[in-house]
């Protein structure tokens, strides 16, 4: 099974794909996480990547396609996978097709801009293990500012500032929204209300994937 999550930054793609990954037993692959991993470990690619991510811009297609290709060659992808944050441009979607990959379902998570901003400003991430929490949703950490998973102190993502959020939403509308038409014309697009509580959206996601 190969599934794509579409949706604006802050729409809950990451949360929903992690939940679905557990339920289906296939990996959730987030290009954002892959990129943050490279930023953390440093190296020559890190400087280039940082110049895009920290300004809310998309990383160039050829770079991110190369990163995804290498991740998909991992044996854990043999039974299928969930893509979170890829494709983000029509060129990236075409790259998947050119790799001979057939996507079963594309789930578009819809959330209003105001709610997106609010969520991103209250998002907290673990710098050590990558877990994501949110002080404004039911994903609050058990202890304020502490990772449930590993006990590290939570931080805000560098790109979760008001100005960068605005840029990311603009980039999303210009470059990623065209993918709705792209996949709806292939008759594999399904829509979920991402403004609902997480458990409700995830039940909706599961029922869409199973039908
Ligand atoms: P978001 O919360 O904006 O969905 P992600 O964690 O998915 O964030 O990605 C963080 C950043 O990494 C993006 O703003 C972008 O710079 C870069 N990035 C991630 N995936 C892609 C992609 N498929 N194409 C280009 N850039 C990407
Ligand atoms: Zn942690």
């Amino acid at each position: 099974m190969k599934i794509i999550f579409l949706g604006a930054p802050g729409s809950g793609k990451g949360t929903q794909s992690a939940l679905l990954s557990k339920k289906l037993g296939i990996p959730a692959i987030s290009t954002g996480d892959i990129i943050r991993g490279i930023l953390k470990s440093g190296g020559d690619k890190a400087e280039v990547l940082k110049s895009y991510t920290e300004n809310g811009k998309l990383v160039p297609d050829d770079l991110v396609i190369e990163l995804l290709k290498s991740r998909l060659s991992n044996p854990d992808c043999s039974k299928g996978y969930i893509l979170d944050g890829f494709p983000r441009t029509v060129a990236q979607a075409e790259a998947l097709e050119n790799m001979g990959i057939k996507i079963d379902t594309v789930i578009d998570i819809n959330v209003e801009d105001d709610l997106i901003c609010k969520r991103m400003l209250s998002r907290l991430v673990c710098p050590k293990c990558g877990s994501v929490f949110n002080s404004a949703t039911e994903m609050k950490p058990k202890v304020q500012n502490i990772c449930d998973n590993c006990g590290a102190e939570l931080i805000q993502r560098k790109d979760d500032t008001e100005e960068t959020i605005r840029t990311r939403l603009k980039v999303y509308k210009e470059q990623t929204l065209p993918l709705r038409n792209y996949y709806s014309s292939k008759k594999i697009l399904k829509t979920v209300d991402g403004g609902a509580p997480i458990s409700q959206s995830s039940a909706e996601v599961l029922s869409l994937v199973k039908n």
Side-chain angles (χ1 to χ4, degrees), residues 9-10 13 31-32 35-36 53 57-59 64 85-86 88 92 123 157 159 168:
K13 294 188 302 289
T31 43
I35 291 167
R36 277 185 290 279
T53 58
K57 303 259 167 66
L58 291 185
V59 169
V64 69
F86 189 100
R88 253 177 159 94
Q92 291 177 18
R123 172 155 70 183
R157 252 169 62 172
D159 57 351
R168 283 155 70 202

Side-chain angles (χ1 to χ4, degrees), residues 7-14 30-36 39 49-61 63-65 68 84-89 92 120 123 157 159-160 164 168-169 171-172 175-176:
S11 60
K13 294 188 302 289
S30 153
T31 43
D33 283 348
I34 294 174
I35 291 167
R36 277 185 290 279
L39 294 185
L49 292 173
K50 203 159 102 183
S51 65
Y52 297 101
T53 58
E54 287 195 354
N55 294 308
K57 303 259 167 66
L58 291 185
V59 169
D61 287 329
L63 251 173
V64 69
I65 289 167
L68 183 85
D84 158 20
F86 189 100
R88 253 177 159 94
T89 62
Q92 291 177 18
M120 283 202 277
R123 172 155 70 183
R157 252 169 62 172
D159 57 351
D160 279 347
T164 312
R168 283 155 70 202
L169 284 175
V171 167
Y172 168 74
Q175 306 200 51
T176 309

Side-chain angles (χ1 to χ4, degrees), residues 2-9 11-21 24 26-31 81-88 96 103 105-110 172 176 179 183 189-192 201-202 204-206 208-209:
K2 299 187 187 75
I3 298 163
I4 289 173
F5 273 102
L6 274 188
S11 60
K13 294 188 302 289
T15 303
Q16 294 301 338
S17 60
L19 290 171
L20 190 62
S21 157
L24 300 181
I26 53 175
I29 297 168
S30 153
T31 43
Y81 43 80
I82 299 163
L83 297 180
D84 158 20
F86 189 100
R88 253 177 159 94
L96 279 179
I103 301 297
T105 306
V106 178
I107 299 173
D108 185 22
I109 307 188
N110 280 322
Y172 168 74
T176 309
L179 288 177
Y183 286 118
L189 187 79
K190 292 174 177 170
T191 303
V192 164
S201 305
S202 74
E204 212 179 314
V205 165
L206 198 62
L208 286 178
V209 167

